[in-house]
Amino acid sequence: MRTHDGSGRMANVSYDASGPRRLLGRLRDVMAGSGQPQERLDKVVTLIAESYAAEVCSCYVMRAGEVLELFATHGLLQSAVHNTRLRVGEGLVGEIAAHARPIALADAWSHPAFAYRPETGEELYHSLMGVPIVRGGRVVGVLVVQNREERVYHEEEVETLETVAMVTAELLTVAQLVNRQELLPVDGNALLPLRLEGMGLNPGVGIGVAVLHQPQVRVGRLVSEDPEAELERVRAALATLRAEVDGMLDDDTVKSHAGDGFGDFRDVLETYRMFAEDTGWITKINEAIASGLTAEAAVQKVHDDTRVRMAHVSDPYIRERLHDLEDLANRLLFHLVGGEQAASRGALPDDAVLVCRNLGPTELLDYDRTKLRGLVMEEGSRTMHAVIIARALGIPVVARVAGVLTKVEPYDPVILDGDHGQVFIRPGDDVREAFEKSLKHRRRKLAAYSALKNEPAVTRDGIPVTLMLNAGLLMDLPHLDETGATGIGLYRTEVPFMARASLPQVEDQAQLYGRILDAAGDRPVVFRTLDVGSDKVLPYWHGQPEDNPALGWRSIRISLDRPAILRAQLRALIRAARGRELRVMFPMISEVAELVAARRLLDMELEREARLHGPEAMPSGLKVGTMLEVPALIWQLPQLLPRVDFVSLGSNDLVQFLFACDRGNPKIADRYDVLSPAVLRAVDQIARQCRAAGTPLSICGEMAGRPLEALALIALGIRTLSMTAGGIGPVKMMLRSLDVGAAEDYVRGLMDLPDRSVREKLRFFAQDHGVALS
């Protein structure tokens, strides 16, 4: 480090590497000593100031309303203690809290965020180093040191102060200098009925009692005396953890279902085990031990750092992989501290609704899955590993329920509605009775849908409609038999890419695609090539941030710019389809030239594989199609249709682009209705041209899987619908009660209306004509 020597120059000061361990040892004595919490905190800031040769050390603590209060200081005016307050984001202290990142400045006064508080007497001090005090992934305060002269702080000094801040966090938490209840939101704390909104990630209704998932382990011993012994403890715990995951991989549930849809279940666990061997994560833990922390304190420190960083990461896939790292840290802590808390997870009530902030895949598997009625999360998304496993186990999931952990108590009655993304805490008898009736009704409906699976999908006036399945994981494939679907109208090949930590090799892809074709048997499978970008991000591709990713570098645009990746995928598909028909569909085609370029790559791979492996290794037949999602392609259909064997209309993106409406933006996602005259007219125009050209047309967006929307599509001449498994039963029931002739005349009349939506008119038509919509 350097400080002014009085002559206006910077003087070099060597860094004492043994200082951190001595400081932690002295802090341990203060923590274990007697006295009131305030007295001990006063001693801590004095000790830190002395250790850093700093004139000032101050500790700010978070109060209600995101206000930082000066709780203790060595060097500033004592009259400012408990009187000086800064909002989060105000001044340098507020900046540290807002971003959960350290700041080290030789001249703090020149920083634009500096806020001068005259009551502290800090006008004498120019340099500043501050770090967030983090506990449980939440900033609970800020620790600051200051010097009179300009001083450049070493990186090692910052890291040491972060370690000291962790010890200070323990003092703040244990001593409860600020009552935890003060920091909880006021809304919903009373034991009153409460309805919370979230995002339904897995359909279904769950009725039960709340079980709070609280994986944090109480770390009692923070400072170590023997770093080598602590390193050995971590090595042993890691070995036990890896063996535990290996045991899960050999679990009878995973092994017995390996061929019928749980392949991705196993992939999740194998990816998780790879995280357990991550050298960067382990290195950080080892470095924290070297600084003087115990093994469990080091794991906790890395754990908290990870959680804070996660709050500032926007990439959804990276956030979800960080959840896996959290899961690992918790499991490692259980092994270091003792397994009693882990073992207690199995003691569930018979109707448990698990409530958590987020969840790792193995944490979910720790619970008795036969007693879980649902999962409620403050975070989460569809590609989160725990959600993938919950979907495989048929557990309803509602995620992104803000503040749910602060509003629910253990064993509170809870109802979650995965269909509509709602959670009811302490519901009244009327609400509970309504959901119990709804659950019984749902079971009757499911039984009725199941009874239809072997019945033909034919309308009342004898028009056959092909109902196909949208899929993206091996665990989706059993739904083919469960629903009686004719085949897979859309297999999203990007989902397995997203569930892996690196780009899968050709043989790995070929094996996966072969299993899909095996499961489908003689039923057709349409493979959509890699469709990433926008909201689907791969962890091993680091593109530049885009202002509007939905309209940016995504889908076929990426594949054509990275032809090696597309060629590898096409090669894998050709090998998987050996002796069987191959159907390939290119996504997000905006102009015919893009289709021609993609088809050229496919032809090159066909020629290559035939040359290397002979005609007998080729598919028995080939059909090439395109997604129609970009409106510009509507006006290129005369040039497009002669070049494709089929077209699949992707209603989600097509409607988004037609209305210039971001469907991921909750403020406008429901502003425009797919059952508007504009959408119906666009679909009608596409259907007419495809019929004239003799080109099969299907719909594979969400529109196809809802009975009322499907009614409109069938009336416009669409005869192939592809949807999620949950939509096939309701849509089949609807179309078997539908007279297409009557519906066709009515829907065509709706297209000429100026209404923003014709939904209610269409619903009344269905009611008047006895069409089953639910």
Side-chain angles (χ1 to χ4, degrees):
M1 72 186 75
R2 296 181 299 167
T3 64
H4 275 299
D5 61 3
S7 62
R9 295 172 300 172
M10 289 287 191
N12 290 320
V13 179
S14 61
Y15 174 70
D16 181 3
S18 64
R21 291 194 52 76
R22 288 200 305 271
L23 173 58
L24 287 176
R26 295 174 69 186
L27 284 175
R28 177 187 58 198
D29 295 339
V30 171
M31 295 273 288
S34 59
Q36 295 299 314
Q38 182 68 56
E39 294 174 0
R40 282 186 283 164
L41 187 58
D42 291 340
K43 291 179 181 178
V44 165
V45 294
T46 298
L47 194 60
I48 296 170
E50 292 174 353
S51 177
Y52 273 88
E55 284 86 15
V56 173
C57 177
S58 303
C59 179
Y60 293 81
V61 178
M62 188 75 75
R63 302 300 302 259
E66 293 201 316
V67 172
L68 293 154
E69 179 179 314
L70 179 62
F71 252 67
T73 186
H74 171 91
L76 298 182
L77 296 177
Q78 289 299 315
S79 58
V81 173
H82 300 304
N83 290 317
T84 294
R85 292 189 168 197
L86 294 161
R87 295 187 305 275
V88 170
E90 180 186 3
L92 294 174
V93 171
E95 282 284 304
I96 294 167
H99 302 288
R101 288 194 292 266
I103 287 177
L105 301 169
D107 182 10
W109 283 66
S110 65
H111 193 282
F114 182 81
Y116 171 57
R117 288 303 180 86
E119 73 272 13
T120 64
E122 65 178 333
E123 66 271 12
L124 300 174
Y125 309 102
H126 289 85
S127 58
L128 177 146
M129 173 174 61
V131 299
I133 303 173
V134 178
R135 177 66 176 170
R138 186 172 60 87
V139 175
V140 297
V142 174
L143 198 58
V144 173
V145 296
Q146 294 172 270
N147 286 83
R148 290 177 183 268
E149 305 296 340
E150 292 187 12
R151 172 174 169 178
V152 177
Y153 297 96
H154 272 265
E155 183 179 337
E156 293 88 347
E157 290 180 291
V158 177
E159 292 174 355
T160 299
L161 193 60
E162 288 180 308
T163 302
V164 170
M166 178 189 176
V167 177
T168 307
E170 193 71 17
L171 173 61
L172 298 181
T173 304
V174 174
Q176 284 200 328
L177 289 169
V178 176
N179 191 303
R180 179 178 178 273
Q181 296 302 315
E182 178 187 322
L183 301 178
L184 294 178
V186 175
D187 177 45
N189 284 334
L191 297 180
L192 297 174
L194 192 64
R195 184 182 70 130
L196 303 176
E197 298 286 339
M199 175 184 289
L201 298 186
N202 198 33
V205 172
I207 301 176
V209 296
V211 173
L212 305 190
H213 173 72
Q214 295 175 316
Q216 287 81 9
V217 181
R218 177 78 181 142
V219 177
R221 193 169 59 93
L222 298 174
V223 182
S224 74
E225 297 179 356
D226 186 350
E228 285 302 320
E230 299 302 321
L231 288 169
E232 182 54 41
R233 289 180 63 217
V234 165
R235 283 192 284 267
L238 280 168
T240 303
L241 185 150
R242 290 165 186 151
E244 191 175 54
V245 177
D246 288 342
M248 290 180 182
L249 284 164
D250 291 331
D251 181 87
D252 290 339
T253 300
V254 179
K255 293 173 71 176
S256 64
H257 292 84
D260 65 358
F262 274 68
D264 299 283
F265 193 123
R266 185 178 182 89
D267 282 348
V268 166
L269 292 179
E270 288 176 343
T271 302
Y272 180 89
R273 193 189 192 286
M274 182 182 64
F275 275 110
E277 296 174 341
D278 182 77
T279 55
W281 180 63
I282 296 170
T283 298
K284 289 177 182 176
I285 294 172
N286 291 342
E287 288 174 349
I289 290 173
S291 74
L293 295 179
T294 61
E296 51 266 46
V299 174
Q300 183 69 59
K301 180 178 184 297
V302 174
H303 179 112
D304 284 340
D305 290 346
T306 299
R307 292 176 72 179
V308 170
R309 287 200 311 276
M310 189 191 330
H312 299 282
V313 172
S314 59
D315 186 300
Y317 191 92
I318 295 175
R319 284 174 65 93
E320 287 143 24
R321 301 299 75 79
L322 288 171
H323 293 167
D324 291 349
L325 282 174
E326 282 197 272
D327 185 353
L328 281 169
N330 289 327
R331 190 167 293 274
L332 192 55
L333 284 171
F334 282 128
H335 289 303
L336 288 167
V337 176
E340 294 182 6
Q341 294 182 51
S344 68
R345 292 187 190 175
L348 285 180
D350 290 336
D351 54 350
V353 174
L354 196 60
V355 182
C356 61
R357 191 172 66 84
N358 59 60
L359 196 70
T362 65
E363 288 178 308
L364 179 60
L365 293 174
D366 278 338
Y367 292 96
D368 183 347
R369 61 206 74 167
T370 65
K371 296 182 178 181
L372 285 179
R373 300 292 174 262
L375 174 62
V376 179
M377 296 190 292
E378 288 193 351
E379 300 182 357
S381 73
R382 296 186 191 281
T383 56
M384 186 176 179
H385 282 163
V387 173
I388 290 173
I389 290 178
R391 192 176 302 131
L393 298 175
I395 299 170
V397 179
V398 178
R400 301 190 188 179
V401 184
V404 65
L405 282 172
T406 68
K407 298 171 183 176
V408 65
E409 297 293 332
Y411 301 104
D412 272 347
V414 173
I415 297 174
L416 77 152
D417 180 357
D419 297 304
H420 302 98
Q422 295 181 330
V423 177
F424 297 82
I425 299 172
R426 300 176 291 274
D429 291 342
D430 54 341
V431 173
R432 186 178 184 91
E433 288 173 7
F435 269 98
E436 286 175 344
K437 288 180 181 178
S438 175
L439 197 54
K440 291 177 183 177
H441 178 71
R442 181 185 183 88
R443 288 168 182 158
R444 287 195 299 269
K445 281 292 184 184
L446 290 175
Y449 299 150
S450 180
L452 287 177
K453 74 173 185 178
N454 294 321
E455 298 295 326
V458 179
T459 65
R460 280 173 51 192
D461 47 349
I463 296 176
V465 178
T466 300
L467 301 182
M468 303 184 79
L469 184 71
N470 290 345
L473 293 165
L474 287 170
M475 65 181 68
D476 293 326
L477 299 185
H479 296 315
L480 275 171
D481 295 324
E482 293 168 6
T483 62
T486 305
I488 298 176
L490 169 65
Y491 187 85
R492 300 181 176 94
T493 60
E494 66 273 3
V495 178
F497 280 70
M498 294 170 69
R500 294 171 180 261
S502 60
L503 189 71
Q505 299 298 311
V506 171
E507 290 309 314
D508 293 334
Q509 293 185 58
Q511 184 179 21
L512 171 64
Y513 304 146
R515 291 172 68 182
I516 296 160
L517 291 167
D518 291 342
D522 58 357
R523 291 167 290 197
V525 179
V526 178
F527 291 97
R528 183 178 70 185
T529 61
L530 195 60
D531 183 10
V532 294
S534 186
D535 59 340
K536 291 175 286 187
V537 181
L538 300 184
Y540 36 84
W541 284 9
H542 304 290
Q544 296 297 317
E546 298 181 78
D547 291 336
N548 195 338
L551 300 178
W553 195 57
R554 57 173 291 200
S555 198
I556 196 67
R557 299 166 183 174
I558 294 177
S559 298
L560 292 178
D561 286 351
R562 302 276 182 89
I565 294 172
L566 179 57
R567 290 186 64 176
Q569 183 177 34
L570 295 172
R571 192 178 311 149
L573 286 167
I574 293 167
R575 292 180 184 179
R578 179 187 180 115
R580 297 179 282 200
E581 183 180 71
L582 174 62
R583 299 188 182 200
V584 177
M585 178 166 65
F586 296 109
M588 195 69 182
I589 296 293
S590 303
E591 56 186 16
V592 176
E594 290 175 335
L595 174 76
V596 171
R599 179 61 193 258
R600 186 182 302 117
L601 294 176
L602 174 59
D603 290 339
M604 290 170 61
E605 289 306 316
L606 287 166
E607 294 171 5
R608 179 183 184 278
E609 291 298 297
R611 185 174 65 254
L612 291 177
H613 305 292
E616 66 279 2
M618 303 302 290
S620 62
L622 175 68
K623 291 186 181 299
V624 179
T626 179
M627 294 283 290
L628 199 164
E629 303 160 280
V630 181
L633 206 57
I634 298 174
W635 292 277
Q636 301 174 68
L637 286 173
Q639 295 75 37
L640 174 75
L641 294 179
R643 292 174 167 84
V644 295
D645 299 304
F646 62 91
V647 172
S648 186
L649 193 155
S651 62
N652 298 354
D653 268 333
L654 182 63
V655 171
Q656 173 177 230
F657 298 146
L658 276 173
F659 288 117
C661 177
D662 181 3
R663 57 192 171 98
N665 184 335
K667 292 183 179 179
I668 57 173
D670 298 324
R671 187 180 184 92
Y672 302 100
D673 196 337
V674 295
L675 289 178
S676 70
V679 174
L680 297 181
R681 187 171 289 280
V683 172
D684 182 55
Q685 182 178 341
I686 295 165
R688 286 177 181 274
Q689 293 192 61
C690 286
R691 280 197 300 273
T695 304
L697 171 67
S698 66
I699 307 280
C700 64
E702 291 180 9
M703 195 176 179
R706 296 194 287 257
L708 191 63
E709 285 85 337
L711 187 163
L713 294 172
I714 293 170
L716 293 174
I718 308 298
R719 296 295 178 260
T720 300
L721 304 174
S722 189
M723 65 201 74
T724 60
I728 290 179
V731 170
K732 181 182 279 191
M733 181 173 284
M734 180 278 297
L735 69 88
R736 285 175 59 85
S737 64
L738 175 68
D739 185 308
V740 176
E744 185 176 31
D745 293 338
Y746 185 77
V747 170
R748 292 197 181 282
L750 296 177
M751 291 192 301
D752 295 327
L753 295 175
D755 303 26
R756 66 168 297 274
S757 172
V758 299
R759 180 173 298 275
E760 289 308 310
K761 291 182 173 64
L762 196 58
R763 193 184 305 278
F764 290 142
F765 169 86
Q767 291 173 355
D768 293 343
H769 290 76
V771 180
L773 294 180
S774 62

